[in-house]
C-alpha cells in the first residue's frame, strides 16, 4: 500500500483507501465513479506541486497533489 | 402545454440534444428563488416544452448549480423526464437514472454517444436495457442528430404511459428507516412527491430535501430519526448512510451493465489521450495556453476583427449619415431633429455598433474553447497558480468567460463548490477586460499607439488578470479567509464543436450586446446629446456651456492627478457606468465628430500617450458596469458585497492610474 503521489506517470493502481480524503473531494470522486476497489491510471502531474491527472474507466479527472497524497493505492 | 425536463450528467451532450429537439424559439428566464438561467424550448413536434436543467451527477447537490435540479423536482410542475445517458460512461450515468426512476415520473432515456462508446469497444444493447428498466431507450448521436427524429416522435408517447417507481432493496436497516420516515411525514408533504424517494434522499443527506422537510415536519423528530438510523447502520454495516445507499445502487447498476453491455477489445489510443499528452504536458501546458490566448486576441483584434470594424465604421460615417441627412432634409426635419439623429444617435449608437464584428469573433472563440473541452484543461493547468492566491483552477473559467462579458462570467462562478471561493471569484471577474471595454481601447490605441495596437491591448488584459490575482491573494488572506480550498475537475473527451451549436451559443451571448445598443446605449446617447445641447443659458449652447460640461466638471478636479482632468473625461466616465462602451458614445457626441477616425485625430490634442494609457487603465478597472453590478447583487444575495465590488474597484483603479501617470511623468514620458 502506498500514497498515490508515489506513483510514476503511466502507472496503474487500485484504490484501497479514500477515508482520509476531504468530504467534498470524496463525494466528487464518488460522483465520477472513483471509489475503493477501482483501478486508476496516473496520466501526468503538473509542475511545481500542481494537480494530478488520473484516468479511470476511460474518463479523466484532475485532483490536487494534497488530496492525492491522502489516497492509498496498490500497484497492479 | 406538456413540460418535459431534460436531465443528465455534465458533458453528456445535453446542450446538443436540446438544440436538436427544440426549434429556434426559446425562452430564457430565471428559476424562482435562485438565479440560474432557465432555458425552455418548444419541441419541434410542437407538442410540448423541453426544460434544460444543469448537468448533475447525483440528485444530492454539491454546488448551487446542481441544487437547481432538486429544487425543480420538489417544486415545479412537469409531466416527464428525458434522461440523457452517455453510453461510454454507463455506470455513473445510470446511477443518476436510478434516482430519477425512483422519483416515478414517466421517463425516457436518450442513449447518447453510442459512436464514442463503440470506438472504445463498448456495445450497449438498448433493447435489453429498455426491458430491464421498463422505460423506452433511444440510441442517438446528439452532435449529428442521428436518432433525434425517433426520439422526438417517442417523447410524446412515453409521457402517456405511467411507470411504477423503481424499487431497490436497500437492506433491513434502511427499509425499516423508510417505513418510519413515511409514518413520520404522514400527509404533510406534497402528494406529487413519492415518499420513498423523499426518504432515500433524506437518508443520503440531501441538504435541499432536509430544508424542504424542515418546513413541513418537526425538525427535532426528523433529526432523531436520522441519527438513530445512521447509528444502527454504522453498528451493523460499519459505513455511513450515504455510502451504503450509494453502494446498493451501484451494485444494481453494475449487475445491469453486465446484462446489457458487450465489451470488445479495440486497442487503439483515443485521440483525446494523444491531444492531452501535449496540452496538459508538464512543461508545455502553460505556454500552450498563453499561446492560444495570444492567437485568440490576434484573430479578434488584428487579423479578422479590425478590417471588418473599419469597413462598418466607414459605412456608418459615410453612406449611412449621408442617406439619413438627405432623408431628413427631404421630409423637412428641423435642425434640432437633424442634430439629435446625426450627432446623438448615429454618433452614439453607431460608434458602439462598429465593434459588433470583434465582439462576435471573441464570443465565437470563447464558445469554441468551451465546447471543445479545452476549458477544463485550462482549469487543470492553471490550478497551481490559482491555489497560490487562494482560489482553485475552476475559478479560472469564469475569468476567461469574463473576457467576453462579465455578466456570464459572474454567473459561471456557480460551478465552484465552496461558497467563499465562489464569492471571491464573483468579486474579481469584473476586473477581466470584457469586450465592451474594447471600443474604448480601440479608440485610444488607434490614436496613440498605432504601431503596437495588439501589444498595448494585450497589456491591459494582462494587467486585469494580474490585479485580479493579487487581490485574490489579498482578500483570501484577510476579509475572505478560505476554508481549505478543494479542486476536482472532470476532463471530458475532446470534441470538434458543431458549427450550428457554436453559432447558436455565439449568438446567445452576442445578441445581448446588440440589444444593449438598441436600449441602454440608444437612450444614453439621446440623454447625453440632450445634456450637451442644453445648458443653464438656453438651448443649442456651446458644448463648454452645457449641462454635460457642468456635470463632468464636478469630477474633473479629482481626475487631474491621473492625467485626464477634463470635464469631457469626467462626463464619459460617469456615463460609462451604464455600459463601458458608452464612454466611446459620449466622446463621439462631445467631440462632435462623425466617425472614429476623425475622433482619434481630435483626441491627440486632449490626451498624451501617457494620459491615454492611464485613462485606459482607469476604464478597465474603475467600476463594474450596471448589468454586472446587478448580476453580482443577485448571485451573491448581498448588498454589502455588491457595494464592496464597486468600492474596491474604484480605489484600485485610482491608485494604479495615479502610479502610472505620475510614475510615467517622472520617467520622462
Amino acid at each position: 500500500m502506498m500514497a498515490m503521489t508515489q506513483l510514476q506517470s503511466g502507472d496503474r493502481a487500485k484504490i484501497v483507501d479514500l477515508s482520509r480524503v476531504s468530504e467534498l473531494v470524496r463525494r466528487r470522486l464518488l460522483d465520477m465513479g472513483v471509489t475503493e476497489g477501482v483501478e486508476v491510471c496516473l496520466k501526468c502531474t503538473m509542475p511545481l506541486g500542481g494537480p494530478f491527472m488520473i484516468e479511470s474507466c476511460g474518463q479523466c479527472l484532475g485532483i490536487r497533489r494534497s488530496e492525492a497524497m491522502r489516497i492509498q493505492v496498490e500497484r497492479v | 402545454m406538456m413540460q418535459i425536463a431534460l436531465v443528465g450528467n455534465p458533458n453528456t451532450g445535453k446542450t446538443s440534444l436540446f438544440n436538436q429537439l427544440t426549434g429556434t424559439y426559446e425562452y430564457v428566464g430565471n428559476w424562482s428563488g435562485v438565479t440560474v438561467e432557465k432555458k425552455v424550448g418548444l419541441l419541434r413536434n410542437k407538442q410540448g416544452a423541453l426544460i434544460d436543467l444543469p448537468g448533475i451527477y447525483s440528485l444530492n447537490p454539491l454546488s448551487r448549480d446542481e441544487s437547481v435540479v432538486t429544487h425543480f423536482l420538489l417544486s415545479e410542475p412537469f409531466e416527464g423526464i428525458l434522461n440523457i445517458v452517455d453510453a461510454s460512461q454507463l455506470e455513473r450515468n445510470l446511477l443518476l437514472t436510478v434516482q430519477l426512476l425512483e422519483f416515478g415520473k414517466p421517463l425516457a432515456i436518450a442513449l447518447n454517444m453510442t459512436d464514442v462508446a463503440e470506438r472504445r469497444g463498448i456495445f450497449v444493447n438498448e433493447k435489453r436495457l429498455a426491458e430491464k428498466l421498463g422505460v423506452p431507450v433511444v440510441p442517438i448521436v446528439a452532435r449529428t442528430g442521428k436518432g433525434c427524429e425517433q426520439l422526438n416522435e417517442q417523447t410524446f408517447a412515453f409521457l402517456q404511459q405511467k411507470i411504477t417507481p423503481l424499487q431497490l432493496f436497500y437492506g433491513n436497516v434502511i427499509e425499516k428507516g423508510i417505513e418510519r420516515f413515511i409514518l413520520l411525514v404522514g400527509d404533510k408533504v406534497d402528494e406529487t412527491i413519492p415518499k420513498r424517494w423523499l426518504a432515500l434522499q433524506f437518508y443520503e443527506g440531501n441538504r435541499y430535501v432536509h430544508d424542504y422537510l424542515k418546513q413541513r415536519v418537526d425538525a427535532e423528530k426528523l433529526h432523531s430519526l436520522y441519527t438513530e438510523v445512521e447509528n444502527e447502520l454504522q453498528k451493523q454495516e460499519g459505513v455511513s448512510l450515504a455510502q451504503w445507499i450509494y453502494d446498493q445502487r451501484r451494485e444494481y447498476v453494475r449487475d445491469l451493465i453486465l446484462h446489457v453491455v458487450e465489451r470488445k477489445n479495440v486497442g487503439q489510443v483515443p485521440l483525446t489521450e494523444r491531444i492531452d499528452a501535449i496540452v496538459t504536458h508538464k512543461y508545455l501546458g502553460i505556454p500552450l495556453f498563453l499561446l492560444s490566448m495570444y492567437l485568440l486576441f490576434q484573430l479578434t483584434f488584428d487579423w479578422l476583427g479590425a478590417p471588418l470594424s473599419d469597413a462598418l465604421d466607414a459605412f456608418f460615417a459615410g453612406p449611412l449619415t449621408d442617406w439619413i441627412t438627405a432623408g431628413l432634409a427631404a421630409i423637412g426635419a428641423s435642425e434640432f431633429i437633424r442634430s439629435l439623429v446625426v450627432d446623438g444617435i448615429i454618433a452614439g449608437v453607431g460608434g458602439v455598433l462598429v465593434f459588433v464584428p470583434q465582439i462576435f469573433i471573441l464570443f465565437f472563440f470563447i464558445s469554441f474553447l468551451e465546447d471543445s473541452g479545452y476549458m477544463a484543461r485550462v482549469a487543470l493547468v492553471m490550478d497551481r497558480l490559482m491555489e497560490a492566491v487562494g482560489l482553485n483552477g475552476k475559478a479560472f473559467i469564469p475569468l476567461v468567460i469574463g473576457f467576453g462579458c462579465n455578466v456570464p462570467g459572474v454567473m459561471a462562478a456557480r460551478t465552484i463548490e465552496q461558497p467563499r471561493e465562489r464569492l471571491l471569484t464573483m468579486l474579481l471577474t469584473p476586473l477581466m477586460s470584457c469586450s465592451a471595454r474594447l471600443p474604448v481601447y480601440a479608440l485610444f490605441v488607434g490614436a496613440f499607439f498605432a504601431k503596437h495596437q495588439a501589444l498595448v491591448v494585450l497589456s491591459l488584459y494582462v494587467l486585469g488578470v494580474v490585479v485580479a490575482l493579487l487581490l485574490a491573494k489579498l482578500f483570501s488572506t484577510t476579509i475572505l479567509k478560505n476554508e481549505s480550498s478543494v479542486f476536482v475537475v472532470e476532463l471530458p473527451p475532446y470534441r470538434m464543436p458543431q458549427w450550428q451549436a457554436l453559432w447558436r451559443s455565439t449568438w446567445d451571448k452576442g445578441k445581448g450586446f446588440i440589444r444593449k445598443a438598441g436600449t441602454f446605449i440608444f437612450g444614453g446617447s439621446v440623454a447625453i446629446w440632450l445634456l450637451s445641447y442644453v445648458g443653464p443659458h438656453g438651448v443649442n449652447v456651446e458644448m463648454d456651456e452645457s449641462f454635460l460640461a457642468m456635470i463632468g466638471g464636478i469630477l474633473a478636479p479629482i481626475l487631474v492627478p491621473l492625467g485626464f482632468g477634463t470635464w469631457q473625461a469626467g462626463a464619459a466616465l460617469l456615463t460609462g457606468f451604464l455600459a463601458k462602451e458608452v464612454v466611446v458614445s459620449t466622446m463621439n457626441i462631445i467631440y462632435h465628430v462623425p466617425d472614429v477616425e476623425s475622433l482619434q485625430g481630435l483626441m491627440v490634442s486632449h490626451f498624451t500617450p501617457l494620459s491615454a494609457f492611464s485613462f485606459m487603465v482607469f476604464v478597465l478597472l474603475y467600476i463594474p458596469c450596471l448589468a454586472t453590478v446587478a448580476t453580482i447583487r443577485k448571485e451573491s444575495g448581498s448588498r454589502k458585497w455588491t457595494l464592496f465590488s464597486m468600492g474596491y474597484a474604484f480605489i484600485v483603479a485610482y491608485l494604479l492610474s495615479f502610479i502610472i501617470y505620475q510614475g510615467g511623468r517622472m520617467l520622462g514620458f
Side-chain angles (χ1 to χ4, degrees):
Chain A
M1 211 157 76
M2 60 207 263
M4 184 178 271
T5 38
Q6 285 167 283
L7 295 174
Q8 300 290 318
S9 292
D11 283 359
R12 300 198 73 86
K14 198 159 139 186
I15 293 184
V16 182
D17 183 17
L18 280 173
S19 59
R20 286 174 55 229
V21 179
S22 69
E23 174 64 29
L24 214 78
V25 174
R26 200 169 57 227
R27 265 284 319 273
R28 266 282 177 263
L29 289 174
L30 208 63
D31 282 342
M32 297 184 210
V34 178
T35 170
E36 277 103 345
V38 166
E39 205 179 292
V40 295
C41 173
L42 179 62
K43 283 295 192 198
C44 64
T45 60
M46 295 289 125
L48 307 169
F52 278 46
M53 180 170 158
I54 58 176
E55 182 260 349
S56 153
C57 320
Q59 102 191 341
C60 289
L61 52 110
I63 53 169
R64 282 198 172 147
R65 171 180 286 266
S66 56
E67 303 289 350
M69 218 148 61
R70 294 158 191 266
I71 299 177
Q72 295 289 317
V73 296
E74 225 166 45
R75 257 212 196 89
V76 288
Chain B
M1 187 181 293
M2 199 156 269
Q3 306 278 327
I4 302 168
L6 180 59
V7 187
N9 277 201
N11 306 311
T12 47
K14 238 162 32 66
T15 308
S16 302
L17 180 62
F18 184 82
N19 289 347
Q20 293 283 358
L21 290 181
T22 61
T24 43
Y25 167 82
E26 185 178 286
Y27 161 78
V28 179
N30 283 322
W31 298 102
S32 58
V34 281
T35 326
V36 171
E37 208 172 65
K38 176 182 186 176
K39 247 167 84 180
V40 181
L42 190 68
L43 284 172
R44 282 191 204 281
N45 63 13
K46 307 269 185 294
Q47 285 170 326
L50 192 64
I51 303 160
D52 190 22
L53 290 163
I56 48 163
Y57 298 100
S58 145
L59 289 182
N60 186 1
L62 275 185
S63 67
R64 178 157 162 136
D65 210 18
E66 297 168 352
S67 71
V68 172
V69 183
T70 312
H71 187 83
F72 177 85
L73 292 180
L74 286 175
S75 55
E76 303 265 337
F78 66 102
E79 276 74 34
I81 298 172
L82 183 57
N83 179 206
I84 181 165
V85 166
D86 178 352
S88 65
Q89 293 295 339
L90 215 47
E91 185 177 306
R92 70 171 162 91
N93 276 266
L94 287 178
L95 278 169
L96 176 65
T97 307
V98 167
Q99 297 184 52
L100 294 173
L101 286 170
E102 283 172 341
F103 194 74
K105 280 264 166 134
L107 181 144
I109 291 176
L111 190 64
N112 194 20
M113 303 202 199
T114 42
D115 54 338
V116 180
E118 279 167 23
R119 250 178 275 140
R120 283 207 203 132
I122 301 166
F123 294 83
V124 183
N125 184 334
E126 74 271 0
K127 289 211 183 66
R128 205 173 295 162
L129 182 64
E131 232 165 72
K132 288 261 174 196
L133 293 176
V135 295
V137 178
V138 183
I140 57 162
V141 179
R143 283 162 41 81
T144 60
K146 195 180 139 204
C148 292
E149 196 63 32
Q150 197 196 345
L151 192 64
N152 227 337
E153 283 160 21
Q154 293 200 354
T155 37
F156 195 65
F158 85 82
L159 290 166
Q160 314 294 338
Q161 39 185 281
K162 286 252 178 302
I163 66 164
T164 38
L166 178 72
Q167 203 158 335
L168 303 184
F169 181 68
Y170 283 94
N172 289 329
V173 179
I174 301 285
E175 292 299 334
K176 227 159 145 210
I178 293 173
E179 272 171 38
R180 288 180 61 195
F181 175 88
I182 291 173
L183 274 177
L184 176 65
V185 299
D187 53 5
K188 294 196 195 88
V189 294
D190 296 291
E191 272 172 21
T192 49
I193 302 166
K195 294 204 181 77
R196 189 181 164 84
W197 177 86
L198 209 53
L200 284 164
Q201 293 295 324
F202 169 72
Y203 286 125
E204 247 194 304
N206 187 331
R207 264 187 300 144
Y208 288 80
V209 167
H210 278 239
D211 289 345
Y212 170 85
L213 288 167
K214 270 183 211 152
Q215 288 165 14
R216 294 166 173 80
V217 186
D218 185 356
E220 233 157 77
K221 281 186 186 156
L222 278 172
H223 183 72
S224 68
L225 176 62
Y226 184 88
T227 29
E228 266 173 52
V229 176
E230 189 181 33
N231 291 339
E232 183 64 24
L233 189 78
Q234 192 72 34
K235 207 168 74 193
Q236 288 196 15
E237 308 289 346
V239 292
S240 68
L241 276 169
Q243 180 75 42
W244 176 259
I245 293 175
Y246 175 87
D247 287 347
Q248 306 313 305
R249 285 188 188 135
R250 196 181 52 180
E251 206 168 296
Y252 171 77
V253 167
R254 284 192 172 167
D255 184 60
L256 191 67
I257 288 175
L258 278 182
H259 285 94
V260 302
V261 171
E262 198 186 330
R263 281 180 193 275
K264 290 180 190 152
N265 209 346
V266 195
Q268 94 191 94
V269 182
L271 182 65
T272 289
E273 294 196 15
R274 276 177 278 157
I275 299 175
D276 268 343
I278 303 167
V279 303
T280 59
H281 184 273
K282 200 164 181 155
Y283 302 108
L284 289 178
I286 291 180
L288 270 176
F289 168 65
L290 294 177
L291 181 70
S292 56
M293 283 289 123
Y294 178 74
L295 287 178
L296 188 151
F297 288 124
Q298 279 293 341
L299 273 170
T300 308
F301 305 136
D302 261 9
W303 300 336
L304 268 178
L308 286 172
S309 285
D310 287 349
L312 207 56
D313 188 30
F315 170 74
F316 282 145
L320 188 71
T321 307
D322 292 345
W323 293 337
I324 290 180
T325 315
L328 288 173
I331 58 167
S334 68
E335 171 59 21
F336 175 82
I337 296 290
R338 194 205 64 80
S339 178
L340 169 68
V341 172
V342 175
D343 303 331
I345 296 168
I346 297 184
V349 179
V352 168
L353 278 183
V354 296
F355 296 99
V356 162
Q358 295 187 346
I359 284 161
F360 271 75
I361 294 168
L362 185 65
F363 278 132
F364 178 83
F365 285 112
I366 288 177
S367 302
F368 184 89
L369 289 183
E370 282 181 308
D371 287 4
S372 65
Y374 183 59
M375 217 59 128
R377 271 76 182 176
V378 172
L380 182 79
V381 169
M382 300 311 283
D383 180 64
R384 186 65 195 90
L385 176 69
M386 301 302 275
E387 189 185 8
V389 299
L391 283 168
N392 76 52
K394 277 188 194 172
F396 210 77
I397 296 171
L399 298 187
V400 173
I401 293 173
F403 284 142
C405 173
N406 291 165
V407 171
V410 170
M411 294 201 285
R414 283 180 204 135
T415 55
I416 297 167
E417 290 92 350
Q418 305 277 74
R420 275 173 187 270
E421 280 183 45
R422 177 167 169 245
L423 177 62
L424 190 51
T425 309
M426 284 194 299
L427 291 176
L428 297 175
T429 301
L431 299 177
M432 298 301 109
S433 185
C434 67
S435 50
R437 279 164 244 196
L438 194 64
V440 185
Y441 307 154
L443 177 68
F444 280 86
V445 292
F448 296 99
F449 309 98
K451 287 215 179 91
H452 308 284
Q453 295 204 14
L455 193 70
V456 172
V457 173
L458 187 69
S459 76
L460 288 159
Y461 279 82
V462 172
L463 181 74
V465 176
V466 170
V467 171
L469 293 181
L470 290 176
L471 288 177
K473 183 73 190 163
L474 178 70
F475 292 162
S476 68
T477 47
T478 53
I479 45 172
L480 273 171
K481 274 222 172 92
N482 260 309
E483 62 267 72
S484 62
S485 118
V486 295
F487 173 67
V488 185
V489 66
E490 183 186 348
L491 305 169
Y494 289 104
R495 278 158 209 149
M496 191 62 205
Q498 298 286 101
W499 283 106
Q500 193 202 353
L502 269 186
W503 166 242
R504 195 156 166 169
S505 66
T506 304
W507 174 246
D508 272 353
K509 291 175 183 141
K511 71 181 175 200
F513 183 81
I514 294 181
R515 193 185 303 134
K516 209 160 55 163
T519 52
F520 262 103
I521 295 168
F522 181 86
S525 296
V526 171
I528 292 160
W529 175 83
L530 258 179
L531 282 175
S532 71
Y533 193 76
V534 294
H537 306 301
V539 295
N540 202 358
V541 292
E542 279 299 305
M543 190 76 79
D544 286 334
E545 308 281 315
S546 67
F547 281 123
L548 191 64
M550 285 174 60
I551 298 166
I554 301 170
L555 258 185
I558 64 165
L559 297 175
V560 170
L562 311 183
F564 42 86
T566 59
W567 70 259
Q568 289 93 338
L573 287 170
L574 257 187
T575 53
F577 175 55
L578 284 179
K580 298 273 173 130
E581 57 270 47
V582 175
V583 170
V584 173
S585 305
T586 309
M587 290 203 154
N588 266 341
I589 295 168
I590 290 175
Y591 291 115
H592 210 346
V593 284
D595 59 16
V596 171
E597 214 163 282
S598 38
L599 179 57
Q600 284 170 338
L602 236 151
M603 311 285 305
V604 180
S605 56
H606 289 80
F607 284 87
T608 64
L610 180 64
S611 68
F613 189 71
S614 166
F615 186 77
M616 286 191 285
V617 170
F618 197 76
V619 168
L620 164 68
L621 303 170
Y622 79 113
I623 201 163
C625 72
L626 187 62
T628 308
V629 169
T631 312
I632 294 177
R633 173 76 183 84
K634 272 197 282 183
E635 293 281 305
S636 67
S638 151
R639 181 183 304 219
K640 191 185 91 184
W641 286 114
T642 310
L643 287 174
F644 178 79
S645 76
M646 297 159 77
Y648 92 78
F650 189 84
I651 294 168
V652 169
Y654 196 90
L655 284 176
L656 261 179
S657 289
F658 184 84
I659 293 169
I660 287 170
Y661 184 66
Q662 299 298 342
R665 282 218 313 187
M666 264 187 264
L667 293 173
F669 282 104

